Amino acid sequence: MDIEKTLAALTLPEKAALVSGKDNWYTAKIDRLNIPALMMTDGPSGLRKQTSTTNDINNSVKAITYPAAALSASSWNTDLFHQLGEHLGVEARAEQVNILLGPGVNMKRSPLGGRNFEYLSEDPLVAGKLGTAYVQGVQSKGVGVSVKHFAANNRENQRFTSSSDMSQRTLRELYLKAFEIIVKNALPETLMVSYNRINGVLNSQNHYLLRDILRDEWGFHGAVMSDWGAVANHAAALSAGLDLEMPGKGQPSVDEIVKAIETGELDEGTLNKSVRHLLHLIQNCPTNPHPKAYDHEAHHAFARKMADDSIVLLKNHQNELPLTPKNQGKLVIVGELAKHPRFQGSGSSHVNPTKLVTPLDALADSGLSADYQQGYTLDDSETDDQLASDAIAAAKQADHVIVFAGYPEKEESEGFDKSAILLPENQTELIGQLTKVNTHITVVLQNGSVVEMPWVKNVAAIVETYLAGEAVGEATWDIITGKVNPSGHLAETFPLKLADTPMAPTFGQDPHHENYSEGIFMGYRYYDTHEMRVLFPFGHGLSYTTFEYGNLVTKSDAHGATITFDVTNTGDQAGKAVPQLYVANHASHAPMPTKELRGFTKLSIDPGETKSVTFHLNRRDFSWWRERVHRWQADTGDYEVMIGESSHDIRVQSKLTMDFENAPAPVTLETYLAKVVTDPRLRGLFQRTVVAPLLQPDVPQNLFSETDADHQPLLFQSRMYLNMPLRALVALGTPAKPLNDFIQAANQSR
Ligand code: BGC
């Protein structure tokens, strides 16, 4: 499609139709110009493709139900997230879906957040890196994504109107950062604007958010769509930077845009910008003309693998686990959730599973044998005396007991927040009773977000399976039997009690405003700074093997630092470690958390084997948002790097002195081409990361195509181009990806 010619050929009502969804799932099509409709489908942890016009969220085609984000994020595994994206992309192609509505990358600010199960982490780096891999995976299959919900949508109650009130520093450092990482590194096709306001301004009408930050600062080139029903004034939203209202209101949407142009309320040039973005989107995400069924068994197996890599062993007193056919003795399983598991959240992310395998279904294949006791009902939170006493009697006779516990479905959903983080009373009471008659109790948790555990000290083991997807049964036994060595780590803190969370007194109290008064001190940034005890710290997760850390070496220069260390598997079986790099800033006068996550990885290590890990930190990793000057600031002075297995379990640490005083200014989209061309290091890097890929024969004609006898772009000799910032090259059609790669590499430590 020639975008400019198509744009010129469109009538005003046709343009208005394009920026208004046709219905719940489709964009408008314009047959006259061969412009096809795009189909979108939720997301994020499986396809919810609705074939009819029904509004029944649970009525969708069968699809693989992958673990909810709360569990999959606990993998801390970017490779697996890439593969998850690929699997979803293949399924979307098979279902002729053009855009998958995910991932959800909002911060889990309060444990009460109703959608926490659908979000990745309380830390923006975890959400940003995992989200990047997911987006790259989906888009590698020719399917677009919609990264949601942009931005600061951290509560569900009154989500259509409530204002998230916070400082600019808090917004930048925590609530925008995951989006920024994904936009810059994965170039998502679309972003979804959330319902809420930020500091009083409705997100769908927020020019600063949608244009100044997203497009001008971050270089976003995709399309911006609304969350379903997030548009209050379509013309004002388009003026602010929205491209597509979803779902459209039909003809009234078209009429209102035509009228807004006629009255001058909306500028036609602005409308054209949005239409251009949509035409690009339509071009980039074509419908699969030859849909082929995908291999359901193989995809189900991947759902199991994803859960295997993510389930978190929270506690394992005196090696209660693994339980195998050899050591299980008399085993009793208690809890209705073993039979009717919670394996996904409710709301728009609900998937109609292809093959749900419950823990009881999968028991025989695990090699274990056990009696089953229901113990409690999910329908009621009152204790059923008969069920409870049968379970207690069986537990008395058992060598080991596994209790399945969790939140019932009605308590955890999109659309409303929680009011407490305790399990239903009948479950809490039953676990308490069981611990009185047996010391070998393992609790398996099925929950979308954190729980208080008044019984934590009295049980032998705790396995956090969150909402594990359709392979819940198989994956649960993989971990319990040791077929898979657990390697999941929490991507959020479990506080001792709700009252310990910094926003406990105010969360959701004011219908119109949510006051982020804790600022940047959220999650572990709060608990660790205040030296508070928690139930399980951020990043925590046990293994059936042990890892030792050593040989920490740090090197720094004006651009950043390189941190190298060794991890050794000191146990007797293979396992996966999740080394986490935290940095403490002692250089700045501004208030700082005692530590912040600045890097992580996941690696498989054989028994006795040592692997070396290297993290690179750039200037931005040492920076904080300075409101007065409205930019990132890196301070010269002392820092501390800490490597650990959780935010509490720091294994090696070292001081680091950074000198940014004499550092050249960092390269950004605002850097002028002249500076790049005249600095030999930058010029070489630019040649490799930007020019060379654009000179490949299969790349269409572009600004760099014309070269001189030395293969140097003629552009380097043009005073007009030399006097343009990199941002302008993007506006002139240079793909943002190589430029962002260049910027990242340019700011990397040498
Ligand atoms: C949700 C989005 C979802 C959309 C379409 C909205 O209610 O907030 O996450 O993608 O519905 O189902």
Side-chain angles (χ1 to χ4, degrees), residues 558-569:
H559 295 277
T562 302
I563 287 118
T564 309
F565 58 94
D566 290 340
V567 192
T568 304
N569 182 342

Side-chain angles (χ1 to χ4, degrees), residues 182-231:
I182 297 170
V183 164
K184 288 184 172 169
N185 294 293
L187 311 183
E189 287 293 344
T190 85
L191 231 72
M192 188 189 290
V193 173
S194 55
Y195 297 114
N196 56 293
R197 299 165 187 267
I198 296 176
N199 296 328
V201 183
L202 201 61
N203 284 2
S204 61
Q205 290 172 213
N206 194 330
H207 189 285
Y208 175 58
L209 185 69
L210 303 184
R211 289 205 195 278
D212 299 352
I213 296 181
L214 179 61
R215 292 202 185 270
D216 295 348
E217 278 187 38
W218 299 352
F220 178 66
H221 270 257
V224 175
M225 69 167 81
S226 71
D227 197 347
W228 271 229
V231 171

